[in-house]
């Protein structure tokens, strides 16, 4: 273990989400026994061991989780002053802004999170004010902006850990009593609808730092950075003189450069690139 630069805002029970090679730490509370949540949103860059403040979560929340899907971060549920919230927020890193999207069907905090096939799953959770624990399973589809209910867990749990693997979702441990630290040794497996039909991939991270170098009156060479290895290829589009973007090239996986020919001399061109795989496409660079 090594220590990194201290987080600017001290807190416990925040969400931590990786997007484009950096880690967004969102929400949390300074003291969960008091229950007042924070909206603090700070981004850690492992390459430089440094922090940067970003737009805070509009609805402060702790015991909350988030996932990166399609170039955005989605944060769902959690609680503030011990009351669960149904709110789901989507963060756009390009505009450094939050947008409220479809709400959880059942407000939950301390639930078991999982990401599979470009969808966000929420299992169980607790309600401190009513001293209840949930067995409900819920899933969010960002393309439809819609939450759906799934087959409930056989056991009501909170504080459970979730991980997707091989098309299934596995849940580990958790507690059966609200506000309890008494753990369990349960291992549960959930097979979502259609789990036999896909690999459980999520859309890849978007490429960054796209650069164009002029190689002649009609040629450029594009280069970009990509820290992930889960893409099946890249798509490149070009806009000429401010017009609509049109497909220019498709590039195989693991390539980070591409030449383009036949451009109109003396005309402004704008380029963009995105990564794709079986689960979908990233945001544009």
């Amino acid at each position: 273990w090594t220590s990194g630069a201290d987080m600017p805002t001290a807190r416990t029970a925040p969400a931590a989400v990786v997007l484009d090679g950096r880690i967004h730490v969102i929400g949390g509370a300074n003291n969960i026994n008091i229950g007042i949540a924070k909206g603090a949103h700070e981004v850690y860059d492992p390459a430089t061991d440094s922090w940067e403040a970003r737009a805070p979560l509009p609805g402060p929340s702790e015991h909350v989780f988030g996932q990166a899907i399609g170039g955005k971060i989605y944060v769902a549920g959690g609680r503030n002053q011990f009351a669960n919230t149904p709110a789901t927020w989507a963060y756009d890193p390009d505009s450094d802004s939050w947008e409220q999207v479809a709400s959880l069907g059942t407000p939950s905090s301390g639930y078991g999170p999982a990401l599979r096939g470009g969808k966000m799953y929420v299992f169980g959770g607790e309600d401190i004010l009513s001293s209840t624990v949930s067995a409900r399973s819920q899933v969010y589809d960002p393309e439809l902006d819609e939450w759906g209910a799934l087959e409930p867990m056989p056991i009501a749990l909170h504080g459970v850990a979730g991980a997707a693997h091989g098309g299934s979702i596995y849940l580990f441990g958790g507690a059966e009593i609200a506000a309890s630290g008494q753990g369990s040794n349960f291992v549960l497996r959930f097979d979502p609808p259609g789990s036999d039909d896909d690999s459980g991939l999520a859309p890849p991270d978007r490429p960054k730092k796209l650069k164009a170098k002029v190689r002649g009156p009609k040629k450029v060479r594009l280069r970009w950075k990509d820290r992930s290895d889960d893409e099946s290829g890249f798509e490149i589009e070009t806009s000429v003189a401010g017009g609509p973007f049109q497909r220019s090239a498709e590039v195989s996986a693991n390539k980070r450069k591409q030449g383009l020919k036949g451009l109109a001399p003396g005309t402004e061109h704008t380029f963009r690139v995105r990564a794709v795989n079986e689960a979908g496409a990233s945001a544009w660079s």
Side-chain angles (χ1 to χ4, degrees):
W1 293 91
T2 57
S3 295
D6 286 349
M7 187 165 56
T9 302
R11 49 195 145 147
T12 185
V17 185
V18 176
L19 180 65
D20 294 333
R22 301 201 296 170
I23 305 167
H24 295 245
V25 182
I26 303 162
N30 190 49
N31 186 333
I32 58 174
N33 294 321
I34 297 175
I36 299 177
K38 294 178 176 289
H41 174 194
E42 293 156 353
V43 184
Y44 179 71
D45 188 339
T48 60
D49 187 30
S50 61
W51 289 91
E52 176 186 354
R54 289 294 185 95
L57 184 68
S61 190
E62 50 105 354
H63 273 77
V64 65
F65 299 94
Q67 305 286 1
I69 306 173
K72 293 185 177 181
I73 291 175
Y74 294 84
V75 174
R79 62 191 183 223
N80 189 9
Q81 299 185 62
F82 306 114
N84 285 351
T85 173
T88 304
W89 297 93
Y91 175 73
D92 184 344
D94 290 334
S95 60
D96 187 28
S97 63
W98 292 90
E99 175 188 11
Q100 189 166 6
V101 294
S103 295
L104 272 165
T106 300
S108 189
S109 61
Y111 54 78
L115 175 66
R116 181 190 169 279
K119 298 179 181 179
M120 179 165 56
Y121 289 79
V122 169
F123 298 96
E126 65 180 339
D127 188 322
I128 295 292
L129 297 180
S130 64
S131 297
T132 58
V133 178
S134 173
R136 183 178 291 270
S137 301
Q138 305 176 77
V139 60
Y140 177 71
D141 186 333
E143 291 189 0
L144 300 177
D145 187 24
E146 183 176 276
W147 282 95
L150 301 166
E151 181 72 20
M153 294 189 296
I155 307 163
L157 293 168
H158 73 94
V160 61
H165 175 69
S168 299
I169 294 173
Y170 294 84
L171 302 176
F172 301 91
E176 297 180 83
I177 301 173
S180 167
Q182 181 63 48
S184 69
N185 57 2
F186 296 128
V187 177
L188 303 174
R189 170 179 160 179
F190 177 69
D191 294 314
S195 57
D196 293 335
D197 301 327
D198 59 54
S199 63
L201 282 175
D205 289 340
R206 65 176 176 174
K208 299 183 69 176
K209 297 184 178 180
L210 176 64
K211 296 181 179 180
K213 183 176 182 180
V214 177
R215 302 301 297 270
K218 299 182 180 182
K219 298 189 295 183
V220 299
R221 178 168 292 277
L222 303 179
R223 292 180 180 271
W224 59 89
K225 292 186 179 294
D226 179 73
R227 296 180 179 178
S228 64
D229 58 1
D230 56 354
E231 75 278 344
S232 59
F234 298 92
E235 297 174 350
I236 298 172
E237 291 189 350
T238 304
S239 168
V240 181
F245 279 95
Q246 296 184 349
R247 183 70 52 84
S248 301
E250 295 184 3
V251 183
S252 60
N254 301 318
K255 288 190 68 175
R256 304 292 183 269
K257 59 184 179 180
Q258 176 68 21
L260 297 178
K261 300 179 181 179
L263 305 181
T267 305
E268 182 180 89
H269 294 73
T270 305
F271 307 98
R272 66 184 186 182
V273 60
R274 68 180 179 182
V276 297
N277 64 17
E278 294 178 2
S282 73
W284 290 102
S285 63

